[in-house]
Amino acid sequence: GTMEGGVGEGGQLFGETRRRPSFYAHLKNFWDISETSNLELGATYLVGSKDADRRFEVNALGLDATLVHYVTPTNKLKWQSELYLQDRDEAFTIAQDGTRTNFHDKPWGLYSLVDYRLSPRFGIGGRLDYVEPDDTSPAILARHADTAWSSYLTYYQSEFSRWRLQLRHTNFARGGDDNTVFLQGTVAIGVHKHQLQ
Protein backbone atom coordinates (compact mmCIF):
# COMPACT_ATOMS: atom_id res chain seq x y z
CA GLY A 1 0.00 0.00 0.00
CA THR A 2 0.91 3.65 -0.14
CA MET A 3 0.01 6.70 1.94
CA GLU A 4 0.87 10.37 1.86
CA GLY A 5 3.92 11.47 3.85
CA GLY A 6 2.00 13.69 6.26
CA VAL A 7 -0.90 12.20 8.20
CA GLY A 8 -3.98 14.29 8.85
CA GLU A 9 -4.30 18.04 9.17
CA GLY A 10 -0.80 19.29 9.89
CA GLY A 11 0.32 15.82 10.98
CA GLN A 12 3.27 13.84 9.80
CA LEU A 13 4.24 10.22 9.37
CA PHE A 14 8.04 10.42 9.17
CA GLY A 15 8.50 14.06 8.20
CA GLU A 16 6.74 17.32 7.43
CA THR A 17 6.48 16.83 3.65
CA ARG A 18 3.13 15.43 2.53
CA ARG A 19 4.22 15.19 -1.11
CA ARG A 20 6.56 12.24 -0.55
CA PRO A 21 4.51 9.05 -0.17
CA SER A 22 5.33 6.29 2.26
CA PHE A 23 4.95 2.63 1.31
CA TYR A 24 3.98 -0.36 3.43
CA ALA A 25 3.40 -4.11 3.21
CA HIS A 26 1.76 -6.48 5.69
CA LEU A 27 1.86 -10.28 5.79
CA LYS A 28 0.05 -12.52 8.24
CA ASN A 29 -0.76 -16.18 8.70
CA PHE A 30 -3.04 -18.17 10.99
CA TRP A 31 -2.65 -21.71 12.35
CA ASP A 32 -4.89 -23.99 14.38
CA ILE A 33 -2.43 -25.48 16.88
CA SER A 34 -5.04 -27.79 18.37
CA GLU A 35 -8.81 -27.98 18.71
CA THR A 36 -8.66 -25.38 21.50
CA SER A 37 -5.71 -23.16 20.49
CA ASN A 38 -4.74 -21.01 17.52
CA LEU A 39 -1.88 -18.71 16.62
CA GLU A 40 -1.66 -15.72 14.27
CA LEU A 41 1.70 -14.20 13.26
CA GLY A 42 2.20 -11.04 11.22
CA ALA A 43 4.89 -8.71 9.92
CA THR A 44 4.62 -5.14 8.62
CA TYR A 45 7.26 -3.14 6.75
CA LEU A 46 7.05 0.63 6.23
CA VAL A 47 9.45 2.92 4.36
CA GLY A 48 9.30 6.70 3.97
CA SER A 49 11.14 9.98 3.69
CA LYS A 50 11.63 12.47 6.52
CA ASP A 51 12.16 15.49 4.25
CA ALA A 52 11.56 16.82 0.74
CA ASP A 53 14.29 14.88 -1.06
CA ARG A 54 13.67 11.63 -2.93
CA ARG A 55 15.54 9.38 -0.50
CA PHE A 56 13.77 6.98 1.85
CA GLU A 57 15.64 7.59 5.11
CA VAL A 58 13.23 5.89 7.52
CA ASN A 59 12.44 2.16 7.68
CA ALA A 60 10.09 0.58 10.20
CA LEU A 61 9.36 -3.07 10.96
CA GLY A 62 6.47 -4.39 13.01
CA LEU A 63 6.09 -7.98 14.25
CA ASP A 64 2.89 -9.20 15.90
CA ALA A 65 1.65 -12.44 17.45
CA THR A 66 -1.70 -13.48 18.93
CA LEU A 67 -2.21 -16.77 20.77
CA VAL A 68 -5.77 -17.77 21.73
CA HIS A 69 -6.60 -20.74 23.95
CA TYR A 70 -10.15 -21.80 24.81
CA VAL A 71 -10.08 -23.13 28.37
CA THR A 72 -13.79 -23.92 28.01
CA PRO A 73 -16.20 -22.90 25.22
CA THR A 74 -16.95 -19.66 27.17
CA ASN A 75 -13.58 -19.06 28.90
CA LYS A 76 -10.98 -17.77 26.47
CA LEU A 77 -7.36 -16.74 27.19
CA LYS A 78 -5.67 -14.41 24.69
CA TRP A 79 -2.02 -13.31 24.66
CA GLN A 80 -1.26 -10.60 22.12
CA SER A 81 2.05 -8.79 21.52
CA GLU A 82 3.54 -6.39 18.99
CA LEU A 83 7.11 -5.17 18.52
CA TYR A 84 8.05 -2.11 16.45
CA LEU A 85 11.56 -1.26 15.27
CA GLN A 86 12.63 1.85 13.39
CA ASP A 87 15.87 2.56 11.50
CA ARG A 88 16.73 6.15 10.50
CA ASP A 89 19.64 6.93 8.17
CA GLU A 90 20.03 10.31 9.88
CA ALA A 91 19.56 11.00 13.58
CA PHE A 92 18.29 14.56 13.08
CA THR A 93 15.99 16.68 10.93
CA ILE A 94 15.96 20.40 10.17
CA ALA A 95 12.56 22.06 9.76
CA GLN A 96 11.81 24.82 7.24
CA ASP A 97 12.29 27.44 9.98
CA GLY A 98 15.80 26.07 10.68
CA THR A 99 14.90 24.29 13.92
CA ARG A 100 16.97 21.16 14.42
CA THR A 101 15.36 18.10 16.01
CA ASN A 102 17.50 15.18 17.15
CA PHE A 103 16.21 11.61 16.99
CA HIS A 104 17.18 8.19 18.18
CA ASP A 105 18.35 6.51 15.00
CA LYS A 106 16.97 3.11 16.07
CA PRO A 107 14.04 3.59 18.51
CA TRP A 108 11.80 0.64 19.31
CA GLY A 109 8.71 -0.17 21.30
CA LEU A 110 6.41 -3.02 22.21
CA TYR A 111 3.23 -3.92 23.96
CA SER A 112 2.03 -7.20 25.38
CA LEU A 113 -1.39 -7.95 26.81
CA VAL A 114 -3.13 -10.89 28.42
CA ASP A 115 -6.92 -10.99 28.26
CA TYR A 116 -9.10 -13.60 29.97
CA ARG A 117 -12.83 -14.01 29.31
CA LEU A 118 -14.26 -14.98 32.70
CA SER A 119 -17.79 -15.52 31.40
CA PRO A 120 -19.92 -14.54 28.40
CA ARG A 121 -20.43 -11.11 30.05
CA PHE A 122 -17.12 -10.30 31.80
CA GLY A 123 -13.43 -10.28 31.01
CA ILE A 124 -10.25 -9.03 32.70
CA GLY A 125 -6.84 -8.17 31.34
CA GLY A 126 -3.46 -6.55 31.78
CA ARG A 127 -1.09 -4.79 29.41
CA LEU A 128 2.53 -3.61 29.37
CA ASP A 129 3.73 -0.83 27.01
CA TYR A 130 7.38 0.16 26.40
CA VAL A 131 8.21 2.90 23.88
CA GLU A 132 11.48 4.74 23.30
CA PRO A 133 10.82 8.39 22.37
CA ASP A 134 12.13 9.30 18.94
CA ASP A 135 12.62 13.01 19.66
CA THR A 136 15.55 13.59 22.05
CA SER A 137 15.95 17.36 21.50
CA PRO A 138 13.92 19.14 24.21
CA ALA A 139 15.50 17.71 27.35
CA ILE A 140 17.80 15.11 28.80
CA LEU A 141 15.87 11.89 29.31
CA ALA A 142 15.41 10.70 32.87
CA ARG A 143 14.61 7.16 31.65
CA HIS A 144 15.23 5.18 28.48
CA ALA A 145 11.56 4.91 27.53
CA ASP A 146 7.94 5.55 28.42
CA THR A 147 6.69 2.51 30.33
CA ALA A 148 3.05 1.85 31.21
CA TRP A 149 1.16 -0.89 33.05
CA SER A 150 -2.59 -1.25 32.62
CA SER A 151 -5.32 -3.44 34.03
CA TYR A 152 -8.93 -3.51 32.90
CA LEU A 153 -12.36 -5.00 33.41
CA THR A 154 -14.62 -5.49 30.36
CA TYR A 155 -18.39 -5.88 30.40
CA TYR A 156 -19.85 -7.34 27.19
CA GLN A 157 -23.36 -5.92 27.09
CA SER A 158 -24.22 -7.78 23.90
CA GLU A 159 -22.59 -9.17 20.76
CA PHE A 160 -22.48 -5.61 19.42
CA SER A 161 -21.47 -3.49 22.44
CA ARG A 162 -18.99 -3.56 25.29
CA TRP A 163 -17.85 -1.33 28.17
CA ARG A 164 -14.32 -1.24 29.57
CA LEU A 165 -12.91 0.33 32.75
CA GLN A 166 -9.12 0.63 32.57
CA LEU A 167 -6.49 1.86 35.03
CA ARG A 168 -3.04 2.82 33.70
CA HIS A 169 0.19 3.89 35.43
CA THR A 170 2.84 5.50 33.19
CA ASN A 171 6.49 6.35 33.86
CA PHE A 172 7.62 8.95 31.29
CA ALA A 173 11.08 8.97 29.73
CA ARG A 174 11.37 12.72 30.37
CA GLY A 175 10.59 12.16 34.05
CA GLY A 176 7.40 12.12 36.04
CA ASP A 177 4.57 9.63 36.39
CA ASP A 178 0.88 9.61 35.54
CA ASN A 179 -2.15 7.63 36.67
CA THR A 180 -5.11 7.50 34.28
CA VAL A 181 -8.62 6.03 34.46
CA PHE A 182 -10.46 5.26 31.20
CA LEU A 183 -14.07 4.37 30.60
CA GLN A 184 -14.57 3.15 27.04
CA GLY A 185 -17.75 2.19 25.24
CA THR A 186 -17.63 0.36 21.90
CA VAL A 187 -20.74 -0.11 19.77
CA ALA A 188 -20.89 -1.88 16.39
CA ILE A 189 -23.69 -0.88 14.02
CA GLY A 190 -24.70 -2.00 10.54
CA VAL A 191 -24.46 -5.35 8.78
CA HIS A 192 -22.03 -7.69 10.56
CA LYS A 193 -22.07 -10.77 8.33
CA HIS A 194 -21.45 -10.98 4.63
CA GLN A 195 -24.67 -11.49 2.66
CA LEU A 196 -23.44 -14.86 1.31
CA GLN A 197 -23.03 -16.37 4.79
Side-chain angles (χ1 to χ4, degrees):
T2 183
M3 66 182 81
E4 64 182 351
V7 176
E9 186 67 31
Q12 50 187 292
L13 182 60
F14 291 130
E16 296 177 350
T17 306
R18 298 180 72 175
R19 303 178 94 187
R20 294 282 171 248
S22 297
F23 300 96
Y24 68 92
H26 179 72
L27 299 172
K28 67 179 178 179
N29 206 344
F30 179 88
W31 296 273
D32 283 322
I33 300 172
S34 69
E35 291 183 1
T36 57
S37 301
N38 58 63
L39 175 67
E40 181 177 303
L41 297 177
T44 304
Y45 177 70
L46 179 66
V47 63
S49 180
K50 69 173 184 63
D51 48 33
D53 65 20
R54 295 184 180 275
R55 290 180 54 232
F56 292 114
E57 302 96 349
V58 185
N59 296 279
L61 175 67
L63 303 172
D64 60 270
T66 303
L67 176 66
V68 176
H69 175 70
Y70 287 87
V71 180
T72 69
T74 57
N75 302 107
K76 176 175 74 171
L77 177 67
K78 177 173 78 171
W79 179 27
Q80 180 176 336
S81 299
E82 292 191 44
L83 170 69
Y84 297 97
L85 309 159
Q86 194 177 103
D87 180 27
R88 293 175 171 265
D89 289 349
E90 299 171 349
F92 68 91
T93 188
I94 299 176
Q96 293 177 354
D97 64 0
T99 306
R100 179 182 169 119
T101 303
N102 294 319
F103 293 96
H104 285 301
D105 59 345
K106 291 179 174 41
W108 65 280
L110 64 84
Y111 81 84
S112 185
L113 71 84
V114 175
D115 184 274
Y116 185 66
R117 191 77 171 258
L118 296 168
S119 69
R121 292 279 187 201
F122 288 97
I124 59 172
R127 175 175 166 146
L128 167 69
D129 292 86
Y130 179 94
V131 179
E132 289 186 342
D134 58 357
D135 182 0
T136 61
S137 297
I140 297 173
L141 299 178
R143 301 178 178 107
H144 292 292
D146 292 345
T147 308
W149 297 269
S150 302
S151 59
Y152 58 85
L153 172 67
T154 306
Y155 170 65
Y156 297 90
Q157 186 175 358
S158 72
E159 181 184 354
F160 309 111
S161 65
R162 74 173 189 201
W163 297 90
R164 177 170 289 168
L165 178 65
Q166 180 174 340
L167 308 173
R168 183 178 71 194
H169 176 75
T170 306
N171 295 326
F172 294 107
R174 302 199 190 293
D177 301 335
D178 182 55
N179 293 304
T180 311
V181 178
F182 298 95
L183 179 61
Q184 177 191 55
T186 305
V187 179
I189 58 174
V191 178
H192 300 287
K193 291 187 177 180
H194 192 278
Q195 297 298 322
L196 297 178
Q197 290 182 343

PDB file of all heavy atoms in Angstrom, residues 82-97:
ATOM      1  N   GLU A  82       3.011  -7.011  20.192  1.00  0.00           N
ATOM      2  CA  GLU A  82       3.543  -6.391  18.986  1.00  0.00           C
ATOM      3  C   GLU A  82       4.853  -5.713  19.324  1.00  0.00           C
ATOM      4  O   GLU A  82       5.010  -5.138  20.399  1.00  0.00           O
ATOM      5  CB  GLU A  82       2.567  -5.365  18.401  1.00  0.00           C
ATOM      6  CG  GLU A  82       1.314  -5.988  17.835  1.00  0.00           C
ATOM      7  CD  GLU A  82       0.488  -5.007  17.026  1.00  0.00           C
ATOM      8  OE1 GLU A  82       1.073  -4.256  16.223  1.00  0.00           O
ATOM      9  OE2 GLU A  82      -0.735  -4.994  17.211  1.00  0.00           O
ATOM     10  N   LEU A  83       5.795  -5.786  18.387  1.00  0.00           N
ATOM     11  CA  LEU A  83       7.114  -5.168  18.521  1.00  0.00           C
ATOM     12  C   LEU A  83       7.335  -4.283  17.303  1.00  0.00           C
ATOM     13  O   LEU A  83       7.091  -4.715  16.171  1.00  0.00           O
ATOM     14  CB  LEU A  83       8.198  -6.253  18.594  1.00  0.00           C
ATOM     15  CG  LEU A  83       9.650  -5.787  18.496  1.00  0.00           C
ATOM     16  CD1 LEU A  83      10.045  -5.010  19.747  1.00  0.00           C
ATOM     17  CD2 LEU A  83      10.574  -6.983  18.296  1.00  0.00           C
ATOM     18  N   TYR A  84       7.781  -3.048  17.539  1.00  0.00           N
ATOM     19  CA  TYR A  84       8.053  -2.109  16.449  1.00  0.00           C
ATOM     20  C   TYR A  84       9.503  -1.665  16.512  1.00  0.00           C
ATOM     21  O   TYR A  84       9.995  -1.286  17.573  1.00  0.00           O
ATOM     22  CB  TYR A  84       7.144  -0.880  16.555  1.00  0.00           C
ATOM     23  CG  TYR A  84       5.690  -1.209  16.419  1.00  0.00           C
ATOM     24  CD1 TYR A  84       4.890  -1.380  17.535  1.00  0.00           C
ATOM     25  CD2 TYR A  84       5.115  -1.370  15.168  1.00  0.00           C
ATOM     26  CE1 TYR A  84       3.549  -1.696  17.417  1.00  0.00           C
ATOM     27  CE2 TYR A  84       3.781  -1.686  15.035  1.00  0.00           C
ATOM     28  CZ  TYR A  84       3.003  -1.841  16.165  1.00  0.00           C
ATOM     29  OH  TYR A  84       1.678  -2.163  16.041  1.00  0.00           O
ATOM     30  N   LEU A  85      10.170  -1.694  15.378  1.00  0.00           N
ATOM     31  CA  LEU A  85      11.562  -1.263  15.268  1.00  0.00           C
ATOM     32  C   LEU A  85      11.642  -0.214  14.176  1.00  0.00           C
ATOM     33  O   LEU A  85      10.991  -0.342  13.134  1.00  0.00           O
ATOM     34  CB  LEU A  85      12.467  -2.443  14.902  1.00  0.00           C
ATOM     35  CG  LEU A  85      12.328  -3.690  15.756  1.00  0.00           C
ATOM     36  CD1 LEU A  85      12.856  -4.900  15.022  1.00  0.00           C
ATOM     37  CD2 LEU A  85      13.069  -3.496  17.057  1.00  0.00           C
ATOM     38  N   GLN A  86      12.464   0.814  14.397  1.00  0.00           N
ATOM     39  CA  GLN A  86      12.634   1.852  13.391  1.00  0.00           C
ATOM     40  C   GLN A  86      14.114   2.058  13.125  1.00  0.00           C
ATOM     41  O   GLN A  86      14.929   1.988  14.052  1.00  0.00           O
ATOM     42  CB  GLN A  86      12.006   3.163  13.886  1.00  0.00           C
ATOM     43  CG  GLN A  86      11.833   4.197  12.803  1.00  0.00           C
ATOM     44  CD  GLN A  86      11.139   5.442  13.325  1.00  0.00           C
ATOM     45  OE1 GLN A  86      11.788   6.440  13.564  1.00  0.00           O
ATOM     46  NE2 GLN A  86       9.838   5.365  13.519  1.00  0.00           N
ATOM     47  N   ASP A  87      14.480   2.314  11.881  1.00  0.00           N
ATOM     48  CA  ASP A  87      15.872   2.565  11.502  1.00  0.00           C
ATOM     49  C   ASP A  87      15.909   3.837  10.674  1.00  0.00           C
ATOM     50  O   ASP A  87      15.311   3.913   9.600  1.00  0.00           O
ATOM     51  CB  ASP A  87      16.422   1.381  10.691  1.00  0.00           C
ATOM     52  CG  ASP A  87      17.866   1.586  10.276  1.00  0.00           C
ATOM     53  OD1 ASP A  87      18.584   2.314  10.978  1.00  0.00           O
ATOM     54  OD2 ASP A  87      18.268   1.031   9.239  1.00  0.00           O
ATOM     55  N   ARG A  88      16.608   4.861  11.187  1.00  0.00           N
ATOM     56  CA  ARG A  88      16.734   6.151  10.500  1.00  0.00           C
ATOM     57  C   ARG A  88      18.159   6.303   9.992  1.00  0.00           C
ATOM     58  O   ARG A  88      19.117   6.109  10.746  1.00  0.00           O
ATOM     59  CB  ARG A  88      16.414   7.302  11.451  1.00  0.00           C
ATOM     60  CG  ARG A  88      14.972   7.345  11.888  1.00  0.00           C
ATOM     61  CD  ARG A  88      14.753   8.444  12.922  1.00  0.00           C
ATOM     62  NE  ARG A  88      13.341   8.617  13.175  1.00  0.00           N
ATOM     63  CZ  ARG A  88      12.579   9.512  12.564  1.00  0.00           C
ATOM     64  NH1 ARG A  88      13.103  10.313  11.667  1.00  0.00           N
ATOM     65  NH2 ARG A  88      11.303   9.608  12.843  1.00  0.00           N
ATOM     66  N   ASP A  89      18.302   6.685   8.717  1.00  0.00           N
ATOM     67  CA  ASP A  89      19.636   6.926   8.167  1.00  0.00           C
ATOM     68  C   ASP A  89      20.301   8.131   8.822  1.00  0.00           C
ATOM     69  O   ASP A  89      21.519   8.178   8.953  1.00  0.00           O
ATOM     70  CB  ASP A  89      19.569   7.170   6.653  1.00  0.00           C
ATOM     71  CG  ASP A  89      19.236   5.905   5.889  1.00  0.00           C
ATOM     72  OD1 ASP A  89      19.271   4.819   6.500  1.00  0.00           O
ATOM     73  OD2 ASP A  89      18.943   5.997   4.688  1.00  0.00           O
ATOM     74  N   GLU A  90      19.505   9.122   9.227  1.00  0.00           N
ATOM     75  CA  GLU A  90      20.030  10.314   9.878  1.00  0.00           C
ATOM     76  C   GLU A  90      19.343  10.471  11.230  1.00  0.00           C
ATOM     77  O   GLU A  90      18.149  10.241  11.350  1.00  0.00           O
ATOM     78  CB  GLU A  90      19.774  11.552   9.021  1.00  0.00           C
ATOM     79  CG  GLU A  90      20.454  11.472   7.660  1.00  0.00           C
ATOM     80  CD  GLU A  90      20.009  12.599   6.741  1.00  0.00           C
ATOM     81  OE1 GLU A  90      19.035  13.301   7.069  1.00  0.00           O
ATOM     82  OE2 GLU A  90      20.643  12.759   5.687  1.00  0.00           O
ATOM     83  N   ALA A  91      20.098  10.875  12.232  1.00  0.00           N
ATOM     84  CA  ALA A  91      19.560  11.001  13.583  1.00  0.00           C
ATOM     85  C   ALA A  91      19.116  12.431  13.891  1.00  0.00           C
ATOM     86  O   ALA A  91      19.062  12.837  15.038  1.00  0.00           O
ATOM     87  CB  ALA A  91      20.588  10.541  14.601  1.00  0.00           C
ATOM     88  N   PHE A  92      18.790  13.210  12.871  1.00  0.00           N
ATOM     89  CA  PHE A  92      18.294  14.565  13.083  1.00  0.00           C
ATOM     90  C   PHE A  92      17.476  14.990  11.868  1.00  0.00           C
ATOM     91  O   PHE A  92      17.550  14.386  10.802  1.00  0.00           O
ATOM     92  CB  PHE A  92      19.453  15.548  13.291  1.00  0.00           C
ATOM     93  CG  PHE A  92      20.283  15.758  12.065  1.00  0.00           C
ATOM     94  CD1 PHE A  92      19.997  16.769  11.158  1.00  0.00           C
ATOM     95  CD2 PHE A  92      21.359  14.916  11.785  1.00  0.00           C
ATOM     96  CE1 PHE A  92      20.752  16.949  10.020  1.00  0.00           C
ATOM     97  CE2 PHE A  92      22.117  15.092  10.650  1.00  0.00           C
ATOM     98  CZ  PHE A  92      21.811  16.099   9.756  1.00  0.00           C
ATOM     99  N   THR A  93      16.701  16.055  12.038  1.00  0.00           N
ATOM    100  CA  THR A  93      15.990  16.682  10.933  1.00  0.00           C
ATOM    101  C   THR A  93      15.998  18.183  11.159  1.00  0.00           C
ATOM    102  O   THR A  93      16.031  18.643  12.305  1.00  0.00           O
ATOM    103  CB  THR A  93      14.544  16.149  10.800  1.00  0.00           C
ATOM    104  OG1 THR A  93      13.963  16.654   9.610  1.00  0.00           O
ATOM    105  CG2 THR A  93      13.697  16.540  11.982  1.00  0.00           C
ATOM    106  N   ILE A  94      15.984  18.942  10.082  1.00  0.00           N
ATOM    107  CA  ILE A  94      15.962  20.403  10.169  1.00  0.00           C
ATOM    108  C   ILE A  94      14.679  20.882   9.499  1.00  0.00           C
ATOM    109  O   ILE A  94      14.450  20.624   8.316  1.00  0.00           O
ATOM    110  CB  ILE A  94      17.206  21.025   9.500  1.00  0.00           C
ATOM    111  CG1 ILE A  94      18.460  20.539  10.226  1.00  0.00           C
ATOM    112  CG2 ILE A  94      17.105  22.547   9.523  1.00  0.00           C
ATOM    113  CD1 ILE A  94      19.754  21.001   9.620  1.00  0.00           C
ATOM    114  N   ALA A  95      13.838  21.575  10.266  1.00  0.00           N
ATOM    115  CA  ALA A  95      12.557  22.065   9.756  1.00  0.00           C
ATOM    116  C   ALA A  95      12.782  23.259   8.840  1.00  0.00           C
ATOM    117  O   ALA A  95      13.884  23.805   8.751  1.00  0.00           O
ATOM    118  CB  ALA A  95      11.644  22.440  10.917  1.00  0.00           C
ATOM    119  N   GLN A  96      11.711  23.694   8.170  1.00  0.00           N
ATOM    120  CA  GLN A  96      11.808  24.824   7.245  1.00  0.00           C
ATOM    121  C   GLN A  96      12.229  26.107   7.950  1.00  0.00           C
ATOM    122  O   GLN A  96      12.856  26.979   7.353  1.00  0.00           O
ATOM    123  CB  GLN A  96      10.475  25.015   6.525  1.00  0.00           C
ATOM    124  CG  GLN A  96      10.144  23.870   5.591  1.00  0.00           C
ATOM    125  CD  GLN A  96       8.781  24.027   4.944  1.00  0.00           C
ATOM    126  OE1 GLN A  96       8.016  24.927   5.264  1.00  0.00           O
ATOM    127  NE2 GLN A  96       8.482  23.127   4.010  1.00  0.00           N
ATOM    128  N   ASP A  97      11.880  26.240   9.238  1.00  0.00           N
ATOM    129  CA  ASP A  97      12.288  27.444   9.978  1.00  0.00           C
ATOM    130  C   ASP A  97      13.702  27.340  10.541  1.00  0.00           C
ATOM    131  O   ASP A  97      14.156  28.216  11.260  1.00  0.00           O
ATOM    132  CB  ASP A  97      11.298  27.751  11.099  1.00  0.00           C
ATOM    133  CG  ASP A  97      11.259  26.647  12.156  1.00  0.00           C
ATOM    134  OD1 ASP A  97      11.996  25.650  12.034  1.00  0.00           O
ATOM    135  OD2 ASP A  97      10.484  26.796  13.119  1.00  0.00           O
TER     136      ASP A  97
END
